[in-house]
């Protein structure tokens, strides 16, 4: 029992000590805040005290007058008050303008960390960038250990990546996880017509950050679009770019001052521009020496982003986030959010209670290609367009090794009378020779279908030819993918230094690739014409088919994806075996 009593007494003492420490810390913060309040607004506080003192003197003096003098004085008081009010308004206006910054005054979005409340778990995608940001947060948390070892804290972090990828969100997450308040500002707010204003605004920004770090213990400055003031400095005798140079110079000086300062201030900057655009002085050690690259989301990350935003709206049972992620390749999180919001608006206009795949597909088309244009076409023109798109679809489904169909449509968008939307099954960053040849085959599928069905063609093949010829030309001239042994990138050689024979051979090789691909797709469509016909008729009936409806037509004819490709590969292997025998 005695041991228990001793333990309880010790625990009570410890709790009292902790509570005393917490109260001392809170009292210290309160004193610091009161002190900073007086430092920031000493002029206004002085005016208030002086006014109260003058009112007290006026009351004392007026009480000593006789009744006549007192009445006369009271009669003049309204006029005195009016004149005083006018003078006070002029003085206060001048004070607020000049003493609080004048032209250097700017919007500073000061936010406390507990109000932001954006954690790393709320940041979806770009896992590699999040890991680097977590390392920064760990360094900030273990600042004492870093100083004991003799290391230096991170003072500048540069977030680089395409727009809409969440650089601002990541900065907020760093502030929340590190429990640091931060000041958010855009680079364009430093730019002004008057010389020296930008530098003055930089000084005021860091001055406020130091005050905030003094009261709160630390602070983060977030500068969005830093490339506005951080581009490579230009020096000319005409004085061009002086304002930007002086603003950037002041930023460099202020960041140098952070290293010698005991206050924990970290500057985070974000930019969409290439790193080479920024001035080298900004990127040297001690300034923005920690760089975090934020890339566009991968396939798995896009799927998670779609699930996140789709979870905020009412969706139908046919939603396939994986298929949406496959089609939305190279799209940023902001673009994916925009697609989901647009799908919700389309469903509302169509008086649907939920968002389905049809609405999401229409939203993608609207975001990528623009509004649907309702064109009046003749029966013959619409039918030719249907067979044209069916030719693309059959060639894509049966002959392309990597891409799969997302939808086929006869709805006019972006100047096109129809489209066959497709995307790679996996995230691809390079393309093989076989993939490029398949792209040419698919591009020529519409032309081949028109030729087979009507023995003529239309101007609708123009964009297809442009794509096919551009790929074939690049294969021969740039990528060394010709069959005649032309290896190298011939585009780097000036045309005047090339012989006419070499140019003629390269162009002939380009035409050979186009003709071989045309023969291949013509043979395929002729052989599978019944599928082309069924697809065209289904398009004429419904105007738009999703990937499930297109695939069902092939299943009805016992055709699987890339069945023709596998058949051709088998024939090649058989022929090679016979040759070896």
């Amino acid at each position: 029992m005695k041991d228990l009593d001793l333990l309880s007494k010790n625990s009570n003492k410890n709790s009292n000590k902790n509570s005393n420490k917490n109260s001392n810390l809170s009292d210290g913060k309160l004193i610091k805040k009161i002190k900073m309040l007086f430092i920031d607004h000493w002029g206004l506080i002085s005016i208030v005290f002086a006014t109260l003192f003058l009112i007290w003197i006026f009351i004392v003096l007026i009480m000593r007058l006789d009744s006549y003098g007192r009445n006369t004085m009271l009669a003049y008081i309204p006029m005195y008050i009016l004149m005083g009010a006018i003078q006070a308004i002029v003085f206060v206006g001048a004070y607020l303008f000049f003493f609080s910054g004048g032209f250097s005054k700017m919007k500073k979005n000061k936010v406390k960390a507990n109000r932001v409340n954006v954690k790393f778990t709320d940041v979806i995608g770009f896992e590699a960038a999040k890991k680097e940001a977590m390392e920064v947060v760990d360094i900030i948390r273990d600042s004492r250990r870093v100083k004991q070892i003799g290391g230096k804290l991170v003072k500048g972090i540069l977030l680089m990546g395409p727009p809409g990828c969440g650089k601002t969100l990541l900065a907020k997450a760093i502030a929340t996880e590190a429990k640091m308040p931060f000041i958010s500002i855009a680079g364009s707010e430093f730019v002004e017509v008057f010389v020296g204003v930008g530098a003055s605004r930089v000084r005021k920004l860091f001055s406020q950050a130091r005050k905030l770090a003094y009261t709160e213990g630390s602070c983060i400055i977030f500068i969005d679009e830093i490339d506005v003031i951080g581009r490579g400095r230009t020096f000319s005798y005409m004085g061009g770019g002086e304002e930007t140079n002086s603003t950037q110079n002041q930023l460099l000086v202020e960041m140098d001052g952070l290293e010698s300062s005991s206050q924990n201030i970290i500057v985070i900057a974000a930019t969409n521009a290439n790193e080479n655009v920024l001035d080298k002085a900004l990127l040297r050690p001690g300034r923005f020496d920690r760089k975090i690259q934020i890339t566009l989301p991968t396939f798995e990350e896009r799927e998670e982003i779609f699930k996140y935003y789709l979870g905020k709206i009412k969706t139908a049972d046919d939603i396939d986030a994986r298929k949406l992620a496959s089609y939305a390749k190279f799209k940023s999180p902001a673009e994916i959010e925009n697609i989901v919001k647009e799908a919700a608006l389309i469903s509302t206009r169509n008086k649907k209670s939920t968002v389905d795949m049809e609405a999401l597909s229409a939203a993608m088309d609207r975001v990528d290609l623009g509004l649907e244009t309702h064109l009046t076409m003749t029966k013959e023109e619409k039918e030719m367009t249907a067979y044209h798109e069916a030719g693309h679809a059959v060639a894509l489904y049966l002959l392309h090794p990597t891409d799969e169909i997302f939808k086929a449509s006869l709805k006019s968008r972006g100047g096109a009378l129809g489209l066959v939307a497709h995307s790679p099954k996996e995230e691809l960053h390079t393309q093989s020779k076989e993939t490029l040849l398949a792209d040419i085959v698919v591009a020529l599928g519409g032309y081949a279908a028109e030729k087979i069905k009507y023995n003529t063609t239309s101007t609708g093949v123009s964009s297809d030819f442009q794509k096919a010829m551009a790929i074939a030309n690049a294969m021969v001239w740039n990528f060394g993918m010709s069959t005649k042994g032309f290896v190298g990138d011939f585009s780097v050689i000036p045309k005047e230094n090339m012989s006419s024979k070499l140019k003629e051979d390269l162009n002939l090789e380009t035409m050979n690739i186009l003709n071989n691909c045309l023969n291949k797709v013509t043979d395929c469509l002729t052989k599978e014409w019944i599928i082309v016909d069924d697809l065209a008729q289904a398009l004429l009936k419904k105007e738009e088919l999703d990937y499930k409806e297109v695939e069902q037509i092939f299943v009805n004819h016992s055709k699987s994806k890339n069945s023709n490709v596998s058949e051709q590969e088998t024939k090649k292997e058989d022929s090679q075996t016979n040759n070896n025998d």
Side-chain angles (χ1 to χ4, degrees):
M1 291 295 292
K2 290 180 179 179
D3 294 337
L4 290 172
D5 292 337
L6 287 171
L7 286 171
S8 61
K9 287 180 181 179
N10 290 331
S11 63
N12 290 331
K13 287 180 180 179
N14 290 331
S15 61
N16 290 331
K17 285 180 181 178
N18 291 330
S19 61
N20 289 333
K21 284 182 180 178
N22 292 330
S23 62
N24 290 333
L25 287 171
S26 60
D27 291 342
K29 273 193 174 184
L30 181 62
I31 292 169
K32 285 181 178 180
K33 287 182 179 180
I34 293 170
K35 186 177 178 182
M36 291 308 302
L37 181 67
F38 182 78
I39 292 171
D40 287 340
H41 304 286
W42 63 270
L44 190 61
I45 293 170
S46 301
I47 290 170
V48 171
F49 277 109
T51 304
L52 293 174
F53 179 70
L54 290 173
I55 291 172
W56 177 75
I57 290 176
F58 174 76
I59 293 172
V60 171
L61 292 175
I62 204 171
M63 292 301 295
R64 293 182 178 180
L65 296 174
D66 55 11
S67 59
Y68 175 78
R70 190 183 301 117
N71 291 334
T72 305
M73 185 62 69
L74 290 174
Y76 281 105
I77 282 177
M79 185 177 67
Y80 292 150
I81 291 174
L82 179 61
M83 295 299 295
I86 294 172
Q87 292 174 359
I89 290 170
V90 172
F91 177 78
V92 170
Y95 170 81
L96 291 174
F97 183 75
F98 291 104
F99 288 90
S100 65
F103 288 112
S104 65
K105 192 176 180 181
M106 58 184 170
K107 295 178 182 177
K108 295 176 287 293
N109 188 13
K110 183 177 71 175
V111 185
K112 290 187 177 180
N114 57 0
R115 292 183 184 176
V116 178
N117 200 24
V118 178
K119 298 182 179 179
F120 283 129
T121 53
D122 300 322
V123 182
I124 304 168
F126 45 94
E127 295 298 324
K130 280 167 61 176
K131 286 181 181 178
E132 290 192 44
M134 288 177 187
E135 289 180 8
V136 172
V137 171
D138 291 338
I139 291 171
I140 295 169
R141 286 174 177 171
D142 297 337
S143 58
R144 290 182 181 177
R145 289 176 58 190
V146 174
K147 289 179 180 178
Q148 286 174 358
I149 295 171
K152 291 184 178 180
L153 294 177
V154 177
K155 292 298 180 183
I157 303 169
L158 182 63
L159 305 179
M160 299 180 294
C165 284
K167 295 185 287 295
T168 304
L169 191 67
L170 187 61
K172 290 180 178 180
I174 292 173
T176 302
E177 296 288 348
K179 297 180 180 178
M180 297 173 69
F182 77 105
I183 302 173
S184 176
I185 190 169
S188 58
E189 293 184 47
F190 293 105
V191 180
E192 190 57 77
V193 176
F194 304 100
V195 177
V197 173
S200 177
R201 289 180 175 177
V202 172
R203 286 193 294 270
K204 286 188 67 65
L205 175 66
F206 279 83
S207 175
Q208 182 169 358
R210 288 189 183 92
K211 292 173 183 177
L212 197 59
Y214 178 77
T215 56
E216 300 290 339
S218 58
C219 180
I220 287 178
I221 299 173
F222 177 64
I223 305 174
D224 199 8
E225 307 296 346
I226 194 172
D227 50 284
V228 176
I229 59 170
R231 290 179 177 271
R233 285 168 290 179
T234 56
F235 303 94
S236 65
Y237 296 106
M238 302 298 293
E242 268 191 32
E243 170 61 8
T244 305
N245 290 352
S246 63
T247 303
Q248 189 180 144
N249 290 337
Q250 188 63 44
L251 178 62
L252 297 175
V253 170
E254 294 290 347
M255 290 196 70
D256 285 340
L258 295 180
E259 281 198 46
S260 59
S261 174
S262 60
Q263 293 162 343
N264 190 14
I265 298 174
I266 296 173
V267 184
I268 301 177
T271 179
N272 304 328
N274 192 287
E275 181 182 347
N276 298 329
V277 173
L278 299 178
D279 196 284
K280 292 181 181 179
L282 276 173
L283 304 177
R284 76 155 177 78
R287 289 167 184 159
F288 291 109
D289 49 2
R290 177 63 67 96
K291 304 176 189 70
I292 298 179
Q293 186 71 44
I294 301 174
T295 58
L296 291 169
T298 62
F299 174 78
E300 289 77 12
E301 290 169 351
R302 289 198 304 273
E303 185 179 358
E304 290 298 318
I305 293 168
F306 265 112
K307 287 179 179 178
Y308 175 77
Y309 287 115
L310 288 170
K312 294 185 175 183
I313 60 175
K314 294 182 179 179
T315 57
D317 296 332
D318 67 336
I319 296 295
D320 188 348
R322 194 167 185 81
K323 181 64 66 173
L324 292 168
S326 175
Y327 184 58
K329 63 181 185 299
F330 305 124
K331 280 188 167 40
S332 67
E335 290 172 321
I336 292 173
E337 182 186 10
N338 189 34
I339 288 169
V340 175
K341 287 181 178 179
E342 188 63 40
L345 292 175
I346 291 171
S347 297
T348 304
R349 283 196 296 269
N350 295 335
K351 297 181 180 179
K352 292 182 179 179
S353 58
T354 58
V355 175
D356 54 14
M357 281 295 289
E358 183 181 354
L360 285 162
S361 177
M364 284 187 176
D365 289 342
R366 183 162 185 174
V367 170
D368 292 340
L369 304 174
L371 287 170
E372 178 185 349
T373 53
H374 299 278
L375 299 177
T376 303
M377 292 192 291
T378 63
K379 182 180 178 182
E380 292 78 12
E381 189 178 22
K382 192 171 184 179
E383 186 183 76
M384 181 176 275
T385 304
Y387 277 95
H388 179 102
E389 301 305 333
H392 284 310
V394 172
L396 177 66
Y397 192 89
L398 297 178
L399 298 177
H400 206 293
T402 61
D403 285 20
E404 56 186 7
I405 296 173
F406 181 75
K407 69 187 295 187
S409 175
L410 292 183
K411 293 180 179 179
S412 176
R413 292 180 186 273
L417 299 179
L419 64 90
V420 174
H422 58 98
S423 61
K425 291 177 287 186
E426 299 175 342
E427 201 82 19
L428 299 174
H429 300 285
T430 59
Q431 291 179 300
S432 64
K433 180 180 178 180
E434 290 71 25
T435 302
L436 293 175
L437 288 172
D439 287 339
I440 297 173
V441 166
V442 173
L444 297 175
Y447 171 81
E450 289 184 15
K451 197 78 171 173
I452 295 168
K453 175 67 176 177
Y454 301 103
N455 198 28
T456 186
T457 59
S458 66
T459 57
V461 300
S462 173
S463 60
D464 297 331
F465 280 170
Q466 288 176 10
K467 180 180 179 181
M469 294 192 77
I471 295 172
N473 186 75
M475 289 176 67
V476 176
W477 283 79
N478 301 96
F479 306 139
M481 294 181 178
S482 71
T483 58
K484 298 292 180 66
F486 296 110
V487 179
D489 186 355
F490 296 95
S491 64
V492 300
I493 304 174
K495 292 290 179 71
E496 59 270 16
N497 294 345
M498 295 178 66
S499 65
S500 57
K501 179 68 168 61
L502 179 58
K503 287 188 281 188
E504 184 180 350
D505 289 342
L506 291 171
N507 290 331
L508 282 174
E509 181 64 8
T510 300
M511 293 308 301
N512 285 334
I513 290 175
L514 288 170
N515 289 327
N516 291 336
C517 289
L518 180 60
N519 292 333
K520 183 178 181 179
V521 71
T522 302
D523 292 342
C524 175
L525 296 184
T526 303
K527 181 182 175 182
E528 308 296 344
W529 187 254
I530 187 171
I531 303 178
V532 177
D533 199 47
D534 284 358
L535 263 174
Q537 294 304 317
L539 279 171
L540 289 169
K541 185 178 179 180
K542 294 191 68 175
E543 284 198 336
E544 194 165 273
L545 303 173
D546 63 20
Y547 65 97
K548 290 182 180 178
E549 293 169 318
V550 171
E551 190 170 37
Q552 187 59 47
I553 292 174
F554 285 93
V555 170
N556 292 340
H557 293 278
S558 303
K559 287 288 182 181
S560 60
K561 173 67 177 167
N562 296 334
S563 58
N564 279 37
V565 174
S566 58
E567 286 176 11
Q568 290 172 7
E569 289 176 351
T570 305
K571 288 178 182 178
K572 282 183 180 179
E573 290 175 0
D574 292 340
S575 63
Q576 288 174 359
T577 304
N578 293 331
N579 291 333
N580 292 334
D581 292 341

